[in-house]
Structure formats: C-alpha cells, structure tokens
Amino acid sequence: MGTDEQFKEVLKRCLSIYLVKLDNYGPSWSIFRPETITDQILIKILRIRSLESGVQPQVDESIQDDYIAIINYGIIAIMLLQKDCSEISVEEAKRCYSVVQQGCADLMYSKNNDYGEAWRKMRVQSYTDLMYAKLNRIKQMEDSNAPFTEIISNFQDIINYAVFGVIRTS
C-alpha cells in the first residue's frame, strides 16, 4: 500500500473515533480555548517520549492511541482557530472536521512529493521530537498572539507527523 492509501486509512480511523466520541459527548470540546487543546497534545507527546525511553506503561493505551489522539486534538485545535465553535452543531462539527482533515492531507501530499517520502527513512522517535518542537513553537506563538495561520501550519505538521507515526508503528 502506498503513502496516499496508508494516509487515507489512518485518517478514516481517526474520523471513526472522532465520530463515536462526537455521538457520545457532542461537541463538548467546543468550550475549550485552543491553548487547552495545545496542552492536551503536550500530555500525549510527553507520554510517547516516556514510552519511547523505556518507561513501562501503566495505562492500557498504546503509542498508536496517543498518535491518534494527537491527530484528533490537532484537528480540533485548527477548528477552534478557524471559527467560533461555541455554538457548533454536531453536523457542523462533522463537516468542519472533514475540511480540516482534508487540508492536512493536501499538505502531506504536496510535501511528500517535494521531499520524496523522506519520512519513511526517519526514525519514529524523530516524529515525536519534531512534534514536541513544533508544539513548543505553538505555545510561544499562542503566548505572543501570533497570526493564526502560522499556528495552524504547525498544527498541520504535527498532525501529519502523528499520521506517519501510526503508519510506521502499525
């Protein structure tokens, strides 16, 4: 299976999880500020780094589960940055999720074309470190009120590295 198909499969899996949670809880995430989602992603990245360092897990969640959570939190963060979601309906939350997800996929296709599948030659731990660096950059931008477009592009990169992580750990 090629990169495009693998990427689409991971995104389908993430969408499926998002839809189940959306059906169970509604768009409860809509009350969060983007910074809260950034901190949720930080928690997941730090857990992955701990597990990659040999810490034995005490919670029954895999690194893949954490990557998927990062993808879904990243998409939610972008949704919060792009529009006021405080009164978002379930249908609109589904539509917005798909739009953001497609934007991330389009970016991956463009970059993968330019970089020639370099992500396949990287160590999986490098994805974690790159996500961590980008997240720290996002936190600095959030604290200095940087333009949303810069923050969104960093979230897109984090999402795409997390997708690569899911693919590589499958």
Side-chain angles (χ1 to χ4, degrees):
M1 192 181 307
T3 297
D4 292 359
E5 294 84 18
Q6 289 177 304
F7 204 87
K8 286 176 187 172
E9 284 301 312
V10 172
L11 293 182
K12 278 189 212 173
R13 187 170 161 197
C14 293
L15 175 60
S16 174
I17 291 167
Y18 174 78
L19 292 176
V20 166
K21 291 187 180 217
L22 191 61
D23 286 341
N24 289 339
Y25 308 114
S28 58
W29 50 264
S30 65
I31 64 166
F32 291 129
R33 292 171 278 211
E35 296 85 357
T36 302
I37 304 298
T38 302
D39 288 341
Q40 289 300 306
I41 294 171
L42 174 65
I43 291 166
K44 295 299 183 179
I45 290 171
L46 292 176
R47 181 173 187 272
I48 292 170
R49 284 174 60 102
S50 292
L51 296 175
E52 289 173 344
S53 298
V55 171
Q56 292 301 310
Q58 300 296 307
V59 178
D60 189 26
E61 293 176 0
S62 68
I63 288 177
Q64 275 201 354
D65 293 332
D66 289 333
Y67 282 134
I68 289 169
I70 289 168
I71 294 162
N72 282 338
Y73 280 134
I75 291 172
I76 288 168
I78 292 170
M79 289 166 57
L80 289 169
L81 289 167
Q82 289 180 332
K83 69 181 288 175
D84 177 10
C85 294
S86 60
E87 299 294 324
I88 195 168
S89 68
V90 170
E91 285 308 310
E92 182 67 4
K94 290 176 184 179
R95 189 194 69 72
C96 289
Y97 182 97
S98 294
V99 168
V100 171
Q101 196 181 55
Q102 186 59 53
C104 293
D106 291 345
L107 178 65
M108 185 285 301
Y109 300 141
S110 296
K111 285 188 173 186
N112 199 43
N113 178 69
D114 291 355
Y115 291 102
E117 304 247 328
W119 66 273
R120 290 191 184 275
K121 296 172 180 68
M122 295 170 61
R123 294 175 183 92
V124 175
Q125 294 85 352
S126 293
Y127 306 147
T128 309
D129 291 345
L130 288 163
M131 287 188 296
Y132 192 33
K134 287 188 175 289
L135 192 74
N136 281 319
R137 191 175 307 147
I138 288 169
K139 288 175 68 170
Q140 290 171 342
M141 287 188 282
E142 287 171 340
D143 293 343
S144 67
N145 296 316
F148 288 162
T149 55
E150 290 181 42
I151 295 172
I152 288 170
S153 68
N154 279 275
F155 274 123
Q156 287 176 316
D157 287 342
I158 288 171
I159 291 164
N160 288 342
Y161 282 124
V163 172
F164 295 152
V166 172
I167 292 169
R168 291 283 306 279
T169 59
S170 293

